[in-house]
Amino acid sequence: MKTTEHLLTCLIEECAEVQKHATKALRFGLEDRDPTIPNSQTESELIEYELDDLRAVVEMLTAAGVIHGWPSWRRVDAKKEKIREFMEYAQQTGALEKA
Ligand SMILES: [Mg+2]
């Protein structure tokens, strides 16, 4: 395995860890903690932790020249707008509560 492949594997792992804690937060709540571990972190804290891990990998991918031009604030802003549009649509269909 080469460095690029190793870093891409790390990227996949960190995305999966974010997914894991996001789904646990949906199932048990953002403030839920692992009941088998005393004083464990909340799902909200674990999502933040994994997003930091993900950012670290993305920065390493950038430093290694695997990806370029990240982040694109234009794309970030465009994505936010798209999400807002679909939230409005979901409210219209009744799938999403109105705020
Ligand atoms: Mg991690």
Side-chain angles (χ1 to χ4, degrees):
M1 184 180 276
K2 298 189 185 312
T3 299
T4 296
E5 295 164 338
H6 187 89
L7 289 173
L8 289 172
T9 304
C10 291
L11 181 70
I12 293 165
E13 289 176 1
E14 297 308 335
C15 288
E17 288 169 357
V18 171
Q19 291 173 5
K20 172 186 165 184
H21 291 294
T23 58
K24 284 193 179 289
L26 286 170
R27 291 170 64 206
F28 306 113
L30 282 163
E31 297 308 311
D32 188 57
R33 299 169 191 270
D34 186 335
T36 65
I37 303 172
N39 302 315
S40 62
Q41 294 172 297
T42 66
E43 291 305 329
S44 177
E45 292 167 335
L46 290 164
I47 289 170
E48 290 177 9
Y49 181 93
E50 297 304 342
L51 286 170
D52 287 340
D53 284 1
L54 178 59
R55 185 179 180 118
V57 174
V58 171
E59 287 184 5
M60 291 181 76
L61 284 163
T62 301
V66 178
I67 59 174
H68 312 276
W70 181 87
S72 160
W73 297 113
R74 180 188 54 76
R75 287 192 303 255
V76 169
D77 289 343
K79 181 62 178 180
K80 286 179 185 176
E81 186 56 33
K82 191 172 186 179
I83 290 170
R84 287 188 195 104
E85 287 172 15
F86 277 101
M87 287 176 77
E88 191 175 310
Y89 175 70
Q91 287 173 337
Q92 290 169 8
T93 67
L96 177 64
E97 293 177 9
K98 294 192 178 188

